[in-house]
């Protein structure tokens, strides 16, 4: 199990022979050299709102001199950033040229369940899945990834994830930075480990089920220690935590203030100034960072304070790391952008009327793992079952869901909705978590206000689950339908 570190050490030293790995953090701080790759931008309108994606295997170099077998959507790894416009009807065909059955879930989209690629919409190798949906929600950054029951963690880990940029003209009207790849930069954060032969290292072990798969290195858009050139001025970063399990506590090395302008489901009422930002698996935040003074800054993460402490099992994975260097380049110019004081009107969530309440307890009985054929991961005492509907909500209704974690912190996610967080661990949530969200990290307890506008049938129920993908695969997931 430790040999992978020798491999990394060898790669770092540019040598081929095994070297003893140094446990010092600096060993993981390689120089920022490679250019940050940008997902290919596909504007759905320019394609007549007909998209074709191929889920396929690829070969990708996460760091110099080593090629790794990966998977991607019409790419070697990850996938395109698909721009879709509010009001448009989008037709998507996804061909499965993987060796296993897959699904494509539109994480964050408010669409009917039959159009979404939940576990019930699996399609086999060689098959093409066709779907159609209307974009009917505010501008935001969403994403898509596989969701086959029991195999989600491995498929995402292998590289299958793409971005969806929903547009309705709001960002343009507000003059936020919006030139893709120049001052509007998507950043997919993931952690990965590598085996001696350069292949992605993934372990099936009870402690991985419990901790989630955590990697030695943090990559941005599939590259370790990349650099991105940016213009002098304001820059928007659309950050997705696409990791299986790891939380990032983001900050810049010079501790500069940045402004959070959007969460999962859209813009916040006003930009929220922050110096550190916690982002859990599945979450997205959009940041505006001021680089008008030139120079450079490094985006870093602190250690994952929510990683389970397991003595020997806790290793360098989940430690602090430097992620990405942003470097101003005066030759890059963009049209004027501003950071307005006010972004959009967003009503504070109204929970005064008597609403139906449900409670979900996220069970993580570590001690019971492996006993009685129990993975230990469940919701309200029941591990996920494809043919069991756990909750029926009434279409068009609003409910308060109380979600409690047991021992670990779990990022709770609901399909087909954008909810509002009423309380987090017994308090009013911080300002940047008060907007539209589909995923929320629950250390102890949360109350969320959810409105169900999309139909979900028995054949294609919606999911709610922990977005630590190993927890989800092990059964911390339930299904709901509308009536
Ligand atoms: Cu991003 Cu049900 O998942
Ligand atoms: Cu989702
Ligand atoms: Cu979990």
């Amino acid at each position: 199990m430790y040999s992978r570190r020798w491999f990394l050490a060898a790669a770092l030293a540019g040598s081929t022979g095994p070297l003893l790995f140094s446990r010092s953090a600096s060993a993981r701080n390689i120089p920022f050299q490679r250019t940050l790759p940008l997902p290919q931008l596909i504007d759905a309108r320019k394609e007549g709102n007909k998209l074709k994606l191929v889920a396929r295997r690829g070969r990708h170099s996460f760091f110099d001199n080593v090629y790794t077998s990966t998977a991607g959507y019409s790419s070697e790894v990850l996938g395109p950033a698909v721009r879709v416009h509010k009001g448009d009807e989008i037709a998507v065909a996804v061909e499965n040229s993987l060796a296993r059955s897959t699904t494509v879930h539109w994480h964050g989209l408010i669409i009917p369940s039959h159009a979404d690629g939940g576990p019930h919409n699996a399609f086999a190798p060689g098959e093409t899945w066709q779907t159609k949906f209307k974009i009917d929600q505010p501008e935001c950054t969403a994403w898509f990834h596989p969701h086959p029951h029991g195999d989600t963690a491995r498929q995402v880990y292998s590289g299958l994830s793409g971005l969806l940029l929903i547009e309705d003209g709001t960002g343009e009207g507000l003059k936020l930075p919006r030139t893709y790849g120049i001052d509007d930069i998507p950043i997919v954060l993931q952690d990965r480990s590598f085996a001696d032969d350069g292949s992605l290292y993934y372990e099936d072990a009870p402690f991985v089920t419990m901790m989630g798969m955590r990697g030695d290195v943090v990559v941005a858009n599939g590259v370790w220690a990349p650099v991105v050139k940016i213009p002098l001025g304001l820059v928007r970063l659309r950050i997705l935590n696409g990791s299986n399990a790891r939380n990032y506590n983001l900050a810049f090395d010079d501790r500069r203030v940045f402004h959070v302008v959007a969460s999962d489901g859209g813009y916040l009422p006003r930009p929220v100034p922050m110096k550190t930002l916690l982002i859990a698996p599945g979450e997205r935040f959009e940041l505006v960072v001021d680089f008008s003074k030139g120079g450079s800054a490094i985006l870093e993460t602190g250690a994952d304070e929510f990683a389970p402490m397991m003595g020997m099992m806790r290793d360098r994975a989940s430690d602090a790391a430097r992620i990405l260097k942003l470097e101003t380049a005066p030759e890059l110019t963009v049209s004027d952008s501003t950071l307005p004081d006010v972004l959009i009107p967003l009503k504070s969530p109204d929970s005064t009327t008597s609403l139906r309440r449900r409670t979900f307890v996220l069970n993580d009985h570590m001690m019971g793992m492996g006993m009685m054929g129990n993975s230990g991961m469940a919701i309200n005492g029941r591990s996920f079952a494809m043919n069991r509907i756990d909750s029926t909500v009434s279409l068009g209704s609003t409910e308060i869901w109380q979600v409690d974690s047991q021992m670990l912190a779990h990022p709770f996610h609901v399909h087909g909705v954008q909810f509002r967080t009423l309380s987090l661990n017994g308090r009013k949530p911080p300002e940047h978590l008060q907007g539209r969200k589909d995923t929320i990290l629950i250390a102890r307890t949360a109350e969320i206000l959810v409105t169900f506008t999309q139909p979900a049938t028995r054949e294609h129920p919606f999911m709610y689950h922990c977005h630590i993908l190993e927890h989800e695969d092990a059964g911390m997931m339930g299904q709901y339908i509308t009536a």
Side-chain angles (χ1 to χ4, degrees), residues 105 107 143 145 147 413 415 463 465 467 472:
H105 165 56
H107 179 135
W143 63 303
H145 63 78
H147 218 302
H413 168 58
H415 287 197
M463 307 291 134
H465 60 90
H467 221 285
E472 170 192 332

Side-chain angles (χ1 to χ4, degrees), residues 349 351 357 400-404 419-430 433-434 440-449:
S351 56
R357 267 186 98 92
I400 296 175
W401 284 14
Q402 179 185 328
V403 190
D404 300 334
F419 55 74
R420 303 289 295 279
T421 307
L422 299 173
S423 74
L424 192 59
N425 303 320
R427 295 200 199 140
K428 193 174 174 183
L433 298 180
Q434 289 176 19
I440 182 99
L441 183 67
I442 301 175
R444 285 193 293 111
T445 180
E447 288 171 302
I448 59 174
L449 187 72

Side-chain angles (χ1 to χ4, degrees), residues 17-46:
L19 295 171
L20 271 180
F21 188 82
S22 150
R23 276 198 153 258
S24 76
S26 63
R28 264 183 313 157
N29 287 333
I30 62 166
F32 290 95
Q33 262 163 357
R34 297 262 302 268
T35 302
L36 178 77
L38 287 171
Q40 185 203 353
L41 179 67
I42 298 176
D43 191 318
R45 255 187 201 171
K46 292 192 185 132

